[in-house]
Amino acid sequence: MSLVTAPPSSLTLDLPPALATPPGAGAVADASGARAIGRGAAEGLFCGPAPVLVAHAGLTARRLGLEAPARAPHLLDVLELFVFVRPARFCAPTPTGLAIALGLDEPVGAVAQAEALRAVAGRLLGELMAADYPNLEAALTLNATLTRAGWSWGERVDAALRTGLEAAGRSVRDRREPGTGLDVWNRLSEWEEVAPRGEAGSHPVDSESARIRLDHMLKGLGLDEARPTQSDYAAEAAFAFSPRDHKDQPRALLAEAGTGTGKTLGYLAPAGLWAERNHGTVWVSTYTRALQRQIAREGLALPDHEGQTRRRVVVRKGRENYLCLLNLQEMVQQAQLGAGDVVGLGLTARWAGACADGDMTGGDFPAWLPGLYAGPATHQPTPANLVDRRGECIHAACAHYRRCFVEKTVRAARHADVVIANHALVMVQAAFDGARAARPAATSDTETAALKRIVFDEGHHLFEAADSAFSSSLSGQEAAELRRWIRGPETRARRGRGLEQRLGDLIGDDGPAKKALGDVLAAATRLPGEGAQGRILRGADSGAPTGPVEVFLAAALDQLRARADPRSGSEDQGMECAARPATPDLITAAAKAAEALAAVEAPLLALSRHLEDVLDEEAETLDGGARARIEGALRGLDRRARMTLPSWRAMLNDLASGDAAGDPEFVDWLAAESAFGRLSDVSLRRHWVDPTQPLEATVIRPSHGVLVTSATLTDPEFGEDPFHLARLRSATGRLDMPARTLKVESPFDYASQSKVIVVTDVPRDDPRRTAAAMRALFLASGGGALGLFTAIRRLKAVYGLLGPELGRAGLPLYAQHIDPLDVGALVDVFRTERDSCLLGTDAIRDGVDVPGRSLRLLVFDRVPWPRPDLLHRARRERFARVDGSGGGRIYDDALARGRMAQAFGRLIRRADDRGVFVMLDAACPTRLFGGLPPGVEVERMELAQAVDQVGGFLA
């Protein structure tokens, strides 16, 4: 949606007071001015009954120590108004974020934030009053629906929109469009089918052409010519886009490029050239969503094809990330009958009509929107309720198939030059393609183009991504999800579609297929159903476990309770123990559970074979829609019948054999997870000791060219081959033709731009002393501080001691696992509010991209050693054998060193950044800082001196 110039608005005078509650402070702004107020007065305003403006009602309530509020007429959340007026536009969910989104100066302090909140509301209403505001009639229609549902902004928005219609010279008697405005699915454009692209060619990309293309792209962005290191990087990256000479011998390159090198454009230059010359697709895979967005932005520098309008760069995610229009329609229908949040759904529909691609997890969807107010989880318009996470898509049988966001993205990706995805999607899709190739009559349909040329950015995370992608987990929740996928919802309170609803008309009167469907529906009754969690965990009045899978998981819990050491003094914090040697009860239960799963797997395979026969025998008469439905159904059947169920049965059969050793290539263990202080699920898990084995077999070896790149691939502790660990953890060390290596140094002057300090007088196990140290350091830096923790419980303990003190100093403090915001929203807030502070764990460390003053201090509470669980111990022993070192210390050191180097790399993102890295663990060995850039010196000192150093360096 284009922005409009808002006229002077008189509605500002009609707005209620605005309440701002940063930590440790409160303020209110009304027509007479702004003033600070105490917590009691702020609580009185928030709890009503007089109308009051807020920004994020849920976060405001938590700041006041209140329960999350339900939607109420007196609470006017300005964030909801922002979503209505500027759908699909970015905004950090705070008063400061709103102010900056509207071009106002950053408000510092509670009083300024209250004033800004009131000004923002007036400006947003003013935009609706403009004659050139787009689609005034549609907005008027939707607002009428929201007003009837009790939206607190309804009357003010209606007045503003009618003023806009008058300004445009249109009648305001009744300019609403017919309907409710909620049916956004009827207003979206349809995709069009195009001819297949065909196999990609093998024309090479030479180094000089890559350099020339890079210069062209930089000039297109208004930048000077490439720096020598960036140009060299692009030239060397061209190797991954040269044709391979032998099957299963891809052109592989490991390339470390220091922060600031410009590696994204460096590899996009040869990637774009290869795609043009060969009419193929390059897949760029990342670990974090933040980098996906960055690559998509820089991909705009790729020159357009003459005479063509197709998209050169497409972001591709799994189906579970995109809004399902059928789910939205069903939730809207339920809400109109009184079972749902009409206002939240209306604002979600408003976003859907303006969004780029329907991505609800990392795209332009405001992830904070569903968390503004409390309500029944099943009624909230959250990604969990609106995307297809259970594989229930009915494909061409859906009324919205031609407008489906997933189908649009899939088709765009098939014809794009560059597809930006994540490691998980690339690996799972490659594994799925391999399993599907085993079908007697594999179809040609695929949701991805052939993975011939792959760039793995954030390549230091390849091992972790492969570990997750190629693992197996049989839990109560996952088994219950399989039952629901087969049988559909078995209570009225749930929505969904079972196999009979999705496949019944495709099967028709075919006798064997109908029998297979009936067999799988019957067999699925032995899987965990409603109430399984209570029966497995044996809660009060929950009854005994029913069915062989529930009995197995209950026996697993008994073994856990007998053998596991609780992680923090109580089983409610979670448990784990080795699966072997298994108790007699567990062995018996495993055999029966494996039989039950086999009874589900066999008819699923029969259904799959029937649909394959239909595709084969009726190929000439099937229309495109029918073929799409069958191929979509086959994808779901294959994932479960050829991947999930066989992996579950393999684990169970191995356990049932009674073999105390087990397969040396895997680590099997039992785990009990906790949530909100109580056990929530039990599982049997299997991970590869070395997940690069399936990574190499399914992804790396079949490709033609692979570039693995990151700012931290080398480790100086490995002497003559600093890429040694990167080879082991990226699977490239397994290739017959060794991977090339490249190291490009960062252009930044780290010696003058950064400082590294180890504080020597803060005890490791005293949260009060840790909180006091962080408080002093955060105050010395004036904010812009990120505190990283290796345990959630320590984070929570420090937060409770740290927040009030920083609040009184005017420094907002936010925290992962505490504030009602997801990681992405927290980082957005931290980036926007330059003097705020943030506490987090690994997810924050990996997802932060905050150039400038917003991040100038980074504090680790402890050395980020790998957790010494069963899986890590097995890998440490394996690495010691491969490395020949005879011990696991080198492996542990390398992992910790890499994490610290990655965290340090977040501090300096631009040539004018300055930052301080502080380690509060006095026992941190100096060798762990070996991964930092050359010229960085490590200083050890007491806290008082460190505080002085931080303040002086950042001043």
Side-chain angles (χ1 to χ4, degrees):
M1 177 178 292
S2 61
L3 294 182
V4 296
T5 304
S9 173
S10 61
L11 293 181
T12 302
L13 300 177
D14 300 327
L15 289 171
L19 174 65
T21 57
V28 62
D30 53 27
S32 61
R35 61 191 182 279
I37 57 175
R39 176 173 172 174
E43 184 177 335
L45 277 171
F46 185 78
C47 294
V52 61
L53 301 177
V54 296
H56 205 297
L59 182 58
T60 303
R62 204 200 64 75
R63 295 291 192 208
L64 295 173
L66 303 172
E67 294 291 330
R71 190 178 297 282
H74 75 283
L75 290 175
L76 287 83
D77 202 312
V78 182
L79 287 167
E80 287 193 326
L81 180 62
F82 182 90
V83 173
F84 186 93
V85 178
R86 296 188 177 188
R89 295 298 300 270
F90 171 77
C91 172
T94 63
T96 300
L98 283 162
I100 291 176
L102 267 76
L104 302 176
D105 293 335
E106 179 181 352
V108 179
V111 171
Q113 289 179 17
E115 290 178 321
L117 194 56
R118 189 171 164 80
V120 165
R123 289 199 175 202
L124 289 172
L125 290 172
E127 289 187 15
L128 297 179
M129 298 167 64
D132 58 346
Y133 186 81
N135 301 319
L136 280 164
E137 290 85 358
L140 195 65
T141 299
L142 177 60
N143 181 63
T145 300
L146 302 186
T147 303
R148 289 192 297 271
W151 191 34
S152 53
W153 282 106
E155 293 183 2
R156 291 177 173 83
V157 168
D158 182 79
L161 288 170
R162 290 178 179 275
T163 302
L165 284 169
E166 289 182 347
R170 287 177 272 179
S171 169
V172 298
R173 178 176 299 174
D174 189 2
R175 294 292 302 185
R176 291 194 298 270
E177 293 182 346
T180 64
L182 296 170
D183 55 345
V184 63
W185 47 85
N186 289 329
R187 298 189 296 275
L188 297 174
S189 62
E190 296 187 351
W191 51 262
E192 295 182 359
E193 197 67 82
V194 295
R197 194 173 188 181
E199 287 292 319
S202 298
H203 299 290
V205 175
D206 61 278
S207 298
E208 188 59 29
S209 295
R211 292 182 193 271
I212 294 171
R213 170 54 62 88
L214 175 62
D215 285 337
H216 182 63
M217 292 171 66
L218 289 168
K219 290 175 182 176
L221 292 172
L223 303 174
D224 295 332
E225 63 181 16
R227 296 181 293 272
T229 53
Q230 187 182 29
S231 183
D232 291 344
Y233 178 93
E236 291 295 325
F239 172 74
F241 300 97
S242 56
R244 66 180 184 179
D245 295 331
H246 303 283
K247 182 182 179 181
D248 294 336
Q249 292 186 12
R251 303 290 190 179
L253 174 67
L254 296 174
E256 178 176 286
T259 304
T261 301
K263 62 179 169 57
T264 302
L265 289 177
Y267 61 66
L268 284 179
L273 270 177
W274 182 88
E276 287 177 25
R277 293 176 178 179
N278 295 284
H279 304 286
T281 299
V282 177
W283 282 73
V284 177
S285 180
T286 78
Y287 190 70
T288 62
R289 295 168 182 165
L291 184 58
Q292 284 184 334
R293 292 193 293 267
Q294 176 190 328
I295 297 171
R297 288 194 301 268
E298 298 196 20
L300 297 176
L302 290 170
D304 292 330
H305 295 287
E306 292 185 10
Q308 297 187 31
T309 58
R310 65 182 175 84
R311 295 163 64 183
R312 298 214 60 185
V313 179
V314 173
V315 177
R316 178 75 177 92
K317 298 183 179 181
R319 285 179 169 264
E320 68 278 3
N321 292 279
Y322 297 93
L323 172 67
C324 171
L325 295 173
L326 186 57
N327 283 350
L328 176 63
Q329 182 182 22
E330 290 180 351
M331 286 197 71
V332 165
Q333 291 170 346
Q334 291 181 2
Q336 290 175 319
L337 295 174
D341 178 12
V342 172
V343 174
L345 287 166
L347 295 175
T348 301
R350 185 89 170 137
W351 161 79
C355 66
D357 57 7
D359 181 5
M360 297 192 76
T361 59
D364 51 20
F365 178 73
W368 38 260
L369 178 62
L372 299 183
Y373 296 103
T378 56
H379 294 170
Q380 293 295 313
T382 63
N385 291 327
L386 289 173
V387 302
D388 178 25
R389 288 186 172 172
R390 297 184 175 91
E392 296 177 340
C393 180
I394 56 177
H395 302 281
C398 177
H400 312 308
Y401 180 67
R402 301 289 301 185
R403 297 182 175 91
C404 175
F405 288 116
V406 176
E407 296 298 331
K408 288 179 181 178
T409 305
V410 166
R411 282 159 177 76
R414 289 175 184 166
H415 295 268
D417 286 353
V418 176
V419 173
I420 304 168
N422 56 48
H423 296 346
L425 176 65
V426 169
M427 293 177 191
V428 170
Q429 184 63 42
F432 174 56
D433 286 346
R436 191 172 59 171
R439 291 203 320 235
T443 69
S444 60
D445 173 74
T446 179
E447 291 195 2
T448 63
L451 299 171
K452 287 188 174 181
R453 304 287 172 172
I454 312 173
V455 177
F456 285 110
D457 205 337
E458 296 180 306
H460 59 283
H461 279 302
L462 262 183
F463 189 91
E464 289 81 4
D467 182 35
S468 176
F470 300 111
S471 64
S472 298
S473 174
L474 171 58
S475 68
Q477 179 180 352
E478 288 168 296
E481 283 293 333
L482 177 60
R483 173 175 175 148
R484 182 178 173 185
W485 180 81
I486 293 171
R487 294 181 59 84
E490 296 176 87
T491 64
R492 293 184 179 181
R494 293 178 177 267
R495 295 181 301 110
R497 294 166 290 277
L499 272 183
E500 192 168 20
Q501 290 176 280
R502 301 198 301 274
L503 301 182
D505 61 325
L506 291 176
I507 291 172
D509 296 326
D510 184 275
K514 291 181 71 173
K515 182 181 183 303
L517 179 58
D519 288 346
V520 74
L521 291 174
T525 60
R526 303 177 71 191
L527 298 173
E530 289 294 324
Q533 179 186 45
R535 293 190 296 273
I536 293 169
L537 303 176
R538 296 175 185 175
D541 302 322
S542 59
T546 61
V549 176
E550 287 187 24
V551 171
F552 167 77
L553 293 173
L557 182 58
D558 287 341
Q559 180 167 317
L560 277 162
R561 284 172 169 157
R563 298 180 183 176
D565 291 326
R567 295 174 191 167
S568 61
S570 169
E571 70 173 31
D572 292 342
Q573 298 299 316
M575 300 179 290
E576 68 176 32
C577 74
R580 297 178 179 79
T583 64
D585 287 347
L586 190 63
I587 291 174
T588 301
K592 293 180 179 180
E595 291 177 3
L597 294 180
V600 175
E601 181 181 332
L604 282 180
L605 287 171
L607 280 175
S608 179
R609 287 192 291 269
H610 167 74
L611 293 180
E612 291 168 8
D613 291 342
V614 172
L615 280 179
D616 184 39
E617 296 169 5
E618 302 179 22
E620 296 182 0
T621 58
L622 283 176
D623 60 30
R627 175 173 291 277
R629 279 194 66 193
I630 294 173
E631 291 173 337
L634 280 170
R635 284 196 293 269
L637 290 169
D638 283 351
R639 287 187 189 278
R640 290 156 181 86
R642 301 183 190 274
M643 295 177 67
T644 301
L645 282 166
S647 67
W648 286 357
R649 284 198 304 106
M651 290 192 293
L652 291 169
N653 285 328
D654 286 352
L655 202 59
S657 71
D659 183 1
D663 191 327
E665 296 299 330
F666 299 101
V667 177
D668 295 345
W669 76 96
L670 305 175
E673 298 299 321
S674 65
F676 306 107
R678 65 178 63 183
L679 289 181
S680 60
D681 205 356
V682 182
S683 61
L684 168 63
R685 298 183 178 181
R686 165 171 282 186
H687 283 237
W688 286 81
V689 176
D690 184 358
T692 65
Q693 291 187 49
L695 172 64
E696 180 261 342
T698 62
V699 182
I700 305 296
R701 187 174 291 273
S703 69
H704 289 216
V706 177
L707 168 61
V708 180
T709 187
S710 169
T712 54
L713 284 181
T714 62
D715 191 317
E717 297 299 316
F718 288 94
E720 294 183 0
D721 184 12
F723 284 92
H724 173 71
L725 188 62
R727 296 180 197 275
L728 291 180
R729 290 173 62 85
S730 67
T732 56
R734 297 177 172 278
L735 296 175
D736 300 326
M737 188 174 75
R740 284 191 184 182
T741 60
L742 169 70
K743 184 172 182 178
V744 180
E745 299 290 352
S746 169
F748 298 147
D749 182 3
Y750 287 103
S752 63
Q753 289 182 248
S754 64
K755 184 177 285 291
V756 178
I757 298 171
V758 178
V759 176
T760 59
D761 59 344
V762 176
R764 280 169 49 93
D765 299 314
D766 187 344
R768 291 185 177 275
R769 294 287 297 276
T770 301
M774 285 195 173
R775 179 175 61 248
L777 292 165
F778 288 8
L779 291 173
S781 69
L786 174 62
L788 292 175
F789 292 79
T790 56
I792 296 173
R793 65 179 183 276
R794 288 200 302 275
L795 182 155
K796 292 182 176 180
V798 168
Y799 176 86
L801 299 167
L802 188 61
E805 293 286 342
L806 293 181
R808 283 190 284 272
L811 301 181
L813 177 66
Y814 301 92
Q816 184 189 9
H817 306 294
I818 293 177
D819 287 315
L821 298 171
D822 67 359
V823 170
L826 283 171
V827 173
D828 289 339
V829 171
F830 181 60
R831 184 187 299 110
T832 302
E833 300 184 3
R834 290 180 295 174
D835 294 332
S836 64
C837 303
L838 176 61
L839 305 182
T841 55
D842 283 353
I844 293 288
R845 183 194 71 223
D846 293 330
V848 169
D849 181 24
V850 184
R853 278 184 52 80
S854 291
L855 176 55
R856 49 192 182 270
L857 172 67
L858 192 151
V859 183
F860 261 106
D861 79 318
R862 288 189 184 181
V863 173
W865 295 113
R867 183 169 171 263
D869 54 21
L870 294 165
L871 182 59
H872 175 73
R873 290 200 296 271
R875 286 174 176 163
R876 182 167 53 191
E877 293 173 5
R878 175 70 62 87
F879 175 79
R881 292 197 299 270
V882 171
D883 184 62
S885 62
R889 196 210 75 179
I890 294 177
Y891 186 65
D892 288 347
D893 282 4
L895 296 185
R897 192 160 41 241
R899 293 172 182 176
M900 291 168 60
Q902 274 294 314
F904 177 85
R906 305 297 171 186
L907 270 178
I908 310 299
R909 312 295 288 177
R910 300 191 308 210
D912 58 349
D913 281 354
R914 290 172 69 82
V916 182
F917 180 107
V918 178
M919 173 63 72
L920 295 181
D921 190 344
C924 180
T926 301
R927 65 180 184 273
L928 296 187
F929 292 97
L932 302 189
V936 176
E937 295 185 1
V938 180
E939 302 176 78
R940 295 179 180 268
M941 61 189 71
E942 294 183 347
L943 177 62
Q945 185 181 358
V947 170
D948 289 340
Q949 289 280 322
V950 169
F953 186 77
L954 296 177

